[in-house]
Amino acid sequence: MLIRLYQPHDAARWNEYVRGSSSATLYHSLGWKGVIERSFNQRTYYWLAEDPSGTLKGIFPLVHLKSFLFGSFMVSLPYFNYGGICADDDATQSALLEAAIQHALDEDVDHLEMRHQAPMTTRLPFKTSKVSMRLELPGCADELWKALGTKVRNQVRRPEKEGMTARIGKADELESFYTVFSKNMRDLGTPVYSRRFFRNILEVFPESTWICTVYQGRVPVASGFLVGYKGILEIPWASSLAEYNRYSPNMLLYWTALKLACDNGFKIFDFGRSTLGEGTYRFKEQWGGQPIPLYWYYWVRDGGAVPDLNPGNPKYRTAIAIWKRLPVGLSKLIGPPIVRNLP
């Protein structure tokens, strides 16, 4: 087995492998390498495994994040819900992991994080605190509407009665999406991604990305970014403005996204990751979303403690409180340089 780093001439074979592998996710597609490099100027290490005949047997995309605040670490993949090692068998998986660990040691990296949807054959420590909420879709939107409870249907009608409308687009909806998203991130105390990040996604995946926005008149009040792949439509980023939440614009947003999924032949709607029992989990559950366990594995240099780089960590409580008080314009200016090193 030969383990080596991806080269440009491997592009067609890499993407063919992803399309043919049952365990490969949207984020294993090679296009995300360019999105990450162009949006965040991060170093990527895309490993592949070949047998003696040159046939691809596995892949492992990694991104190196490095900052004074958070240290040096590699993630597969940061910024997204999924990633990890995709391999034909346990031996290939182990070979890819060992190559990455050796590289991490050479680069003086503190830890590796691998975001898997299924258990690995390894003794590495892992977390299962997050789940993916997914809904199997019927053949048409009318069937789905009938399957929803009366309470959910009434909540979808509420914003419509208030005069709100939903619109689906692509780059033409980016400004509206970012207006809502950036304000919501500030309100949550979280640094925001750059507008360029989302524009790059739209440009790299023009046929499988959409933006859905709910308007009150001309004012965008809720918006979500949608990405489709292999029969699954995912909404990895969605936000609404707090001052309009009493009218439930997010209900109209999600119904419009679900209708788009049905109308375009998607079989599963992925609501994104949540923590069991929390508010976002209950919101997704009311649509019929079912929890799928996620397995995040860690290799830590010298066998140290598993890292805890997330907003729930008490050590970041003060920083989050300060961030919530920043002007939105300032948060959009200083947020992207910070969030590029947050996984």
Side-chain angles (χ1 to χ4, degrees):
M1 186 71 66
L2 173 65
I3 309 297
R4 63 176 177 84
L5 287 171
Y6 162 87
Q7 298 295 324
H9 66 263
D10 297 312
R13 289 197 307 147
W14 182 289
N15 281 328
E16 182 181 2
Y17 182 84
V18 172
R19 287 192 294 269
S21 172
S22 61
S23 59
T25 70
L26 160 70
Y27 301 108
H28 285 98
S29 297
L30 198 58
W32 296 102
K33 183 178 189 294
V35 168
I36 291 169
E37 291 172 347
R38 288 163 54 192
S39 304
F40 301 102
N41 195 30
Q42 300 287 25
R43 296 184 67 181
T44 61
Y45 298 91
Y46 274 50
W47 298 91
L48 57 84
E50 294 176 315
D51 68 12
S53 70
T55 300
L56 240 59
K57 304 295 288 184
I59 56 174
F60 186 13
L62 274 167
V63 180
H64 191 176
L65 309 186
K66 189 175 184 180
S67 72
F68 173 76
L69 290 174
F70 308 110
S72 175
F73 54 101
M74 292 182 177
V75 185
S76 182
L77 280 172
Y79 321 123
F80 311 120
N81 293 330
Y82 311 116
I85 302 173
C86 181
D88 289 357
D89 51 59
D90 292 345
T92 304
Q93 182 186 84
S94 296
L96 285 163
L97 178 59
E98 287 303 316
I101 289 174
Q102 184 57 56
H103 183 78
L105 289 168
D106 294 341
E107 293 289 321
D108 200 27
V109 166
D110 298 325
H111 71 266
L112 303 180
E113 177 180 278
M114 294 155 282
R115 301 178 173 182
H116 279 247
Q117 297 184 90
M120 292 176 65
T121 304
T122 177
R123 293 185 178 181
L124 289 177
F126 62 93
K127 296 179 183 177
T128 55
S129 55
K130 299 292 184 180
V131 296
S132 171
M133 297 296 285
R134 297 187 178 188
L135 173 65
E136 290 190 18
L137 298 171
C140 68
D142 286 344
E143 287 184 53
L144 179 59
W145 180 255
K146 292 174 183 176
L148 297 175
T150 302
K151 180 181 178 181
V152 172
R153 292 198 297 267
N154 287 339
Q155 287 178 309
V156 172
R157 295 187 182 109
R158 173 71 191 280
E160 293 178 321
K161 291 177 181 177
E162 296 293 334
M164 293 184 181
T165 56
R167 187 185 306 164
I168 295 173
K170 292 180 180 283
D172 54 316
E173 290 296 320
L174 179 57
E175 190 61 35
S176 293
F177 166 79
Y178 198 70
T179 296
V180 178
F181 182 72
S182 58
K183 187 175 187 301
N184 186 60
M185 290 297 100
R186 190 286 309 270
D187 292 346
L188 291 172
T190 304
V192 69
Y193 296 124
S194 68
R195 184 187 288 102
R196 182 177 69 252
F197 171 52
F198 298 105
R199 184 175 298 280
N200 286 339
I201 297 173
L202 290 165
E203 290 175 354
V204 173
F205 301 99
E207 302 300 322
S208 56
T209 51
W210 298 266
I211 294 175
C212 178
T213 308
V214 175
Y215 290 87
Q216 177 71 75
R218 295 184 177 181
V219 179
V221 298
S223 191
F225 199 105
L226 297 147
V227 188
Y229 190 69
K230 286 187 175 181
I232 300 174
L233 186 64
E234 181 185 355
I235 185 165
W237 304 284
S239 301
S240 62
L241 298 182
E243 57 266 38
Y244 292 90
N245 282 349
R246 65 186 182 277
Y247 302 124
S248 301
N250 54 341
M251 297 299 292
L252 180 57
L253 168 67
Y254 274 82
W255 166 246
T256 306
L258 285 162
K259 187 175 184 301
L260 172 72
C262 290
D263 291 346
N264 283 271
F266 289 99
K267 304 302 181 185
I268 294 173
F269 189 85
D270 187 340
F271 290 89
R273 73 175 186 255
S274 296
T275 301
L276 284 168
E278 291 192 351
T280 57
Y281 174 89
R282 293 192 297 271
F283 174 83
K284 298 165 185 178
E285 188 180 37
Q286 71 181 331
W287 294 97
Q290 297 297 311
I292 306 297
L294 299 179
Y295 301 84
W296 288 19
Y297 285 86
Y298 296 86
W299 169 85
V300 183
R301 177 183 289 273
D302 300 324
V306 171
D308 192 17
L309 298 178
N310 71 80
N313 189 329
K315 67 186 289 187
Y316 302 124
R317 190 172 297 151
T318 300
I320 291 171
I322 293 172
W323 198 271
K324 289 180 178 180
R325 295 197 291 269
L326 292 179
V328 175
L330 181 59
S331 73
K332 290 193 287 187
L333 180 66
I334 65 176
I338 297 173
V339 78
R340 69 184 291 273
N341 287 307
L342 286 173

